Every structure is written in structure tokens, then in C-alpha cells.
Amino acid sequence: MKEWMDNPAGRLAFFIRSLPQRNQDRSIGETLGLDPNLSQPFAAALRMLEVQKLMHAARESVEKLPESEDPDFLLLHFNDIEKFINGLTEMALSTASRINPTDMFNSLFAVRRPGTEAMFALEACSRALHRCSPEPALEQEQLTALVEDVREIVDAVIASPSLTAEAKEFLVLRLREIESALLHSKIAGTAELEASVDRLTGALVRREDLRESGIMGKIGTFFQRLVQAAQGTEAITGATKSTIEAINALTKLPGSS
């Protein structure tokens, strides 16, 4: 069935389907949709709390659908989804307190998964929300490419001979926020991404010491790719064409090198 990442039910279904059946060679980070290099049990437990919030958002969104979509029928098996996510969260929090990644994996895979009926019903919820109230969304392939773009910009900032150490630290922090928001969008949607992009743009407006022409050009190109990735769904507010124009204008301001 087609995956809709533009609504909380779709993102929840994607998360559940993406969990491997057993611990193969994946890290905890990969299993929970985090950065593949992340293996901190506490971070994994916090992510499960975010998934739990996503679950509540999915139910609330379906409950607000018009009666013509029959929200009561759509939520008929949602208790099974809630039982699974709540069990997963409880296990993640419990094992994180022992700081034992092996226990974390064993506990996660011991939780009984939702049945076929529950998953089919969740996907039906996603389809209804996609039809009635879609949110801004990015496809998985686009997300991967955009994350790589941000990491390349970070490397360029670190290697820049023109930026001060303080400016580099500040820019890297803002760029890491965008990277984290991209990765997090598979669960939380794009609101955090919009905010992180806006914070970077605002910082570039305020601070002349951040404006290095090569870096500004790379950031502008990233925003252009972000806009292209968002086309066909909803435009991401913080990455509209006006934002690109603002970035281009910033390269002409005093202090840009």
C-alpha cells in the first residue's frame, strides 16, 4: 500500500513497518529512525516518547475527520496500535535506565506487533487524512539527499579559512538543527524543519560574520533543492522562493566575503 508521510497516521504506519523483525546488523538509531550512528539508549527512549506523541496526534487527527469519512470505523482497531506503541515505549524507558543496548534490542523485539487488521486500519486512516488534511511532507529519498547536502555544508563551514572559530561553531549548530529536523520529520512532520530553516535565515540576516560567499552559495543551493523536494505536496513555509531570494540578497550585503 502507498505510504503517505503527509499525516500522523501515515508516519506512524511507516515507523511500525520500518522496525526490523529481529536485531541483525542495525544500530538502535537505525531501528528507531534516528541517525544510523546514534546508539545511545537514552536518545532511543526519548524518540519512543516522540512516537507516542505521534500516536496521540494520529488518533486526534482521525477523530476530527468529517462524518463522511466515518472516523469511528477507521479507529476500530486503533487500540491495538496504542497497545503496541505504549508497550514499546515502556520497554525502551525501562531498558534505557540500565544503559544496555543489547537489552534494548531484546525488549523492543519482544513486544507483540499489531496484527494485519490493525495495520490495514491504520493505513486506511492515513489515506483518509491524506485526502482530507495533508501536511507538508518530504519523501524518504529526498530526505536522504537533503541530509547529505547539509552534512556537506557543515564540512565546508569547518574547512573555511574565512570564518572565525565562533562563527563556525554557530553555523554548525544551526545546520545540525536542520539535519536533525530532517531526520525527525519522519515522525514529527516538517514544522520543526520550517523553524530551523527560519532560525538559520534570521541568523544570516543579523550577523555579518557568518556571510562567506562560498558558504552562502551552498546554503542557497540547499534551499532550492528543499523547495523542489516540497513541490507536489505543500510548500514548506521556511523554504519558499522568497527565502531563496533573501539568501541571494544576503550575499550582496556588507560583510559578505
Side-chain angles (χ1 to χ4, degrees):
M1 183 174 289
K2 183 173 178 59
E3 294 172 345
W4 303 111
M5 299 295 285
D6 60 3
N7 66 84
R11 293 193 296 276
L12 184 59
F14 175 83
F15 168 78
I16 294 173
R17 284 194 300 267
S18 69
L19 289 172
Q21 294 298 319
R22 60 186 181 281
N23 178 14
Q24 298 172 346
D25 296 323
R26 296 190 182 191
S27 70
I28 291 175
E30 288 175 297
T31 303
L32 295 181
L34 296 163
D35 186 318
N37 296 320
L38 182 62
S39 60
Q40 294 294 329
F42 280 115
L46 288 173
R47 176 51 54 91
M48 277 310 309
L49 289 173
E50 293 167 353
V51 175
Q52 195 174 47
K53 290 180 183 178
L54 175 63
M55 174 190 72
H56 294 312
R59 175 181 277 280
E60 290 172 1
S61 298
V62 174
E63 287 174 341
K64 292 176 182 177
L65 284 170
E67 286 302 316
S68 58
E69 296 292 337
D70 200 350
D72 289 339
F73 179 76
L74 290 172
L75 293 171
L76 197 59
H77 297 283
F78 201 78
N79 286 341
D80 292 340
I81 299 295
E82 291 173 324
K83 185 181 298 184
F84 173 68
I85 295 299
N86 288 335
L88 212 59
T89 303
E90 182 179 345
M91 287 293 187
L93 291 171
S94 174
T95 54
S97 66
R98 297 194 294 270
I99 317 181
N100 189 327
T102 301
D103 284 350
M104 170 74 80
F105 266 121
N106 291 339
S107 298
L108 291 180
F109 296 116
V111 179
R112 188 171 180 271
R113 293 167 181 268
T116 302
E117 283 187 344
M119 288 304 298
F120 184 82
L122 182 59
E123 289 160 353
C125 291
S126 173
R127 188 166 59 250
L129 290 170
H130 169 75
R131 186 167 54 247
C132 297
S133 55
E135 303 169 0
L138 295 170
E139 300 295 333
Q140 179 60 42
E141 184 176 341
Q142 296 167 329
L143 279 173
T144 300
L146 289 168
V147 167
E148 289 302 315
D149 287 344
V150 173
R151 290 172 178 170
E152 288 178 10
I153 299 173
V154 168
D155 290 341
V157 167
I158 293 172
S160 173
S162 304
L163 295 171
T164 66
E166 195 275 335
K168 289 181 180 181
E169 182 179 359
F170 184 87
L171 273 175
V172 168
L173 176 61
R174 294 281 84 82
L175 290 163
R176 290 300 188 196
E177 285 181 354
I178 293 176
E179 176 187 353
S180 176
L182 284 166
L183 292 167
H184 192 196
S185 68
K186 289 184 288 186
I187 289 178
T190 57
E192 183 181 326
L193 176 58
E194 294 178 16
S196 62
V197 167
D198 287 343
R199 281 193 291 271
L200 174 60
T201 306
L204 293 172
V205 170
R206 294 192 311 273
R207 296 183 52 170
E208 293 184 5
D209 63 322
L210 303 179
R211 303 178 204 143
E212 192 272 322
S213 59
I215 301 299
M216 296 287 283
K218 290 179 183 297
I219 292 173
T221 299
F222 167 74
F223 283 142
Q224 289 175 338
R225 291 175 179 169
L226 184 56
V227 168
Q228 292 171 355
Q231 289 176 351
T233 53
E234 296 273 345
I236 293 178
T237 305
T240 59
K241 291 181 180 179
S242 60
T243 303
I244 297 172
E245 292 169 358
I247 292 293
N248 290 337
L250 284 171
T251 64
K252 300 179 177 62
L253 289 177
S256 300
S257 56

